[in-house]
């Protein structure tokens, strides 16, 4: 059965720290991996990764995919309280290319 | 900007009532999705639709039905609401790519927090 596992489940850091969130997957015929940020309401899209080793970057956030290790990491540098959120990872696999398989998320709390 | 709207932010219904949750997107997306999100269980797909009048079951369709009469609108129906359907319901939409290609990202509405008493 296809699955996506995120770690850690929760994390508490201080402002200015750097954090690394992990997403590993077992999905038949991988096509893409997506990262989302969810604050109090709906998830908002961060990155889509399809190729191994190519870093995607947006400000203090960056992400990279390792297809050999079947995993991805999301890095946040110089964290701010506004980074407090649940970070969700989702993977698209074979078959119906419209569905995503979701991880449970990592809850990040950034304390001042 | 893609905009996905949902008819209610908060809804309280009684057991046995028929409940309609509406979702509208304004970007001409082909695909639309209904999820529920519960603590410790993450996002679970209820139904999705890839075209008008087309629908497919997701992972937890029992107790739900859907309707897509127009491209921009996707409705989730709880035929007879039960307390175990108390949850956050999220609608999403995305463009459709050809077979074998990575999917476009999904855009989410603000969610409807449904309480069934």
């Amino acid at each position: 059965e296809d699955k996506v596992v995120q770690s850690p489940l929760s994390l508490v850091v201080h402002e200015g720290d750097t954090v690394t969130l992990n997403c590993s997957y077992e999905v038949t015929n991988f096509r893409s991996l997506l990262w989302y940020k969810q604050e109090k309401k709906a998830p908002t899209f961060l990155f889509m990764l399809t190729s191994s080793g190519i870093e995607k970057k947006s400000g203090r956030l960056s992400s990279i995919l390792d297809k050999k290790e079947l995993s991805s990491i999301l890095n946040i540098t110089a964290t701010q309280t506004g980074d407090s959120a649940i970070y969700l990872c989702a993977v698209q696999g074979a078959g119906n290319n419209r569905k995503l398989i979701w991880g449970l998320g990592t809850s990040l709390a950034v304390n001042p | 900007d893609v905009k996905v709207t949902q008819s209610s932010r908060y809804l309280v219904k009684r057991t046995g009532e028929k409940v309609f949750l509406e979702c509208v997107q304004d970007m001409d997306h082909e695909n639309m999705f209904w999820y529920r999100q519960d603590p410790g269980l993450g996002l679970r797909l209820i139904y999705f639709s890839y075209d008008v009048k087309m629908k497919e079951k997701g992972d937890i369709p029992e107790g739900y039905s859907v309707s897509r009469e127009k491209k921009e609108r996707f409705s989730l129906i709880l035929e007879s609401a039960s307390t175990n359907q108390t949850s956050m319901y999220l609608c999403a939409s995305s463009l459709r790519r050809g077979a074998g290609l990575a999917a476009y990202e999904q855009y989410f509405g603000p969610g409807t927090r449904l309480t069934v008493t």
Side-chain angles (χ1 to χ4, degrees):
Chain A
E1 185 184 331
D2 292 341
K3 64 180 180 182
V4 174
V5 177
Q6 292 185 245
S7 63
L9 284 180
S10 65
L11 194 54
V12 181
V13 301
H14 291 291
E15 264 191 318
D17 288 350
T18 293
V19 298
T20 299
L21 310 182
N22 298 282
C23 176
S24 63
Y25 59 89
E26 292 177 25
V27 174
T28 307
N29 291 344
F30 170 93
R31 294 223 176 101
S32 64
L33 184 146
L34 297 87
W35 284 98
Y36 284 79
K37 177 183 181 182
Q38 185 175 24
E39 295 174 88
K40 295 220 182 291
K41 35 187 183 170
T44 53
F45 173 74
L46 293 174
F47 301 112
M48 178 186 283
L49 304 158
T50 55
S51 301
S52 224
I54 298 175
E55 186 182 54
K56 293 273 180 102
K57 202 168 168 62
S58 175
R60 295 175 295 101
L61 276 67
S62 63
S63 183
I64 196 160
L65 176 67
D66 186 338
K67 283 186 177 179
K68 197 172 173 185
E69 296 295 326
L70 306 183
S71 66
S72 172
I73 58 170
L74 175 68
N75 279 321
I76 309 174
T77 59
T79 51
Q80 303 171 356
T81 54
D83 295 326
S84 296
I86 297 172
Y87 290 84
L88 296 166
C89 173
V91 174
Q92 178 203 358
N96 191 319
N97 68 356
R98 307 166 192 97
K99 285 172 63 173
L100 296 174
I101 302 150
W102 293 85
L104 293 184
T106 293
S107 178
L108 173 65
V110 181
N111 292 332
Chain B
D1 269 359
V2 177
K3 194 165 182 192
V4 181
T5 57
Q6 295 182 227
S7 49
S8 307
R9 291 300 305 276
Y10 300 94
L11 208 51
V12 180
K13 295 291 182 182
R14 292 186 184 270
T15 302
E17 279 193 82
K18 191 168 186 175
V19 181
F20 293 87
L21 302 182
E22 302 282 333
C23 175
V24 177
Q25 50 93 6
D26 66 358
M27 284 303 292
D28 205 33
H29 283 176
E30 292 90 356
N31 301 327
M32 295 188 75
F33 307 82
W34 274 108
Y35 293 92
R36 63 178 283 178
Q37 187 174 32
D38 303 285
L41 296 176
L43 277 165
R44 292 182 292 167
L45 182 65
I46 304 171
Y47 267 98
F48 67 100
S49 168
Y50 52 90
D51 206 344
V52 174
K53 296 192 187 295
M54 305 303 286
K55 61 185 180 186
E56 282 195 31
K57 292 180 181 179
D59 301 315
I60 51 162
E62 297 79 18
Y64 303 95
S65 61
V66 290
S67 171
R68 194 164 180 203
E69 297 296 319
K70 293 185 178 181
K71 190 175 185 180
E72 68 272 17
R73 188 178 297 268
F74 191 35
S75 302
L76 180 70
I77 303 150
L78 288 66
E79 295 289 342
S80 176
S82 64
T83 55
N84 64 12
Q85 292 178 310
T86 292
S87 185
M88 170 67 86
Y89 289 87
L90 291 165
C91 174
S93 72
S94 73
L95 286 167
R96 182 170 68 219
R97 284 192 195 251
L101 299 174
Y104 284 103
E105 62 268 28
Q106 295 181 14
Y107 293 87
F108 284 83
T112 295
R113 186 163 293 282
L114 172 67
T115 303
V116 183
T117 61

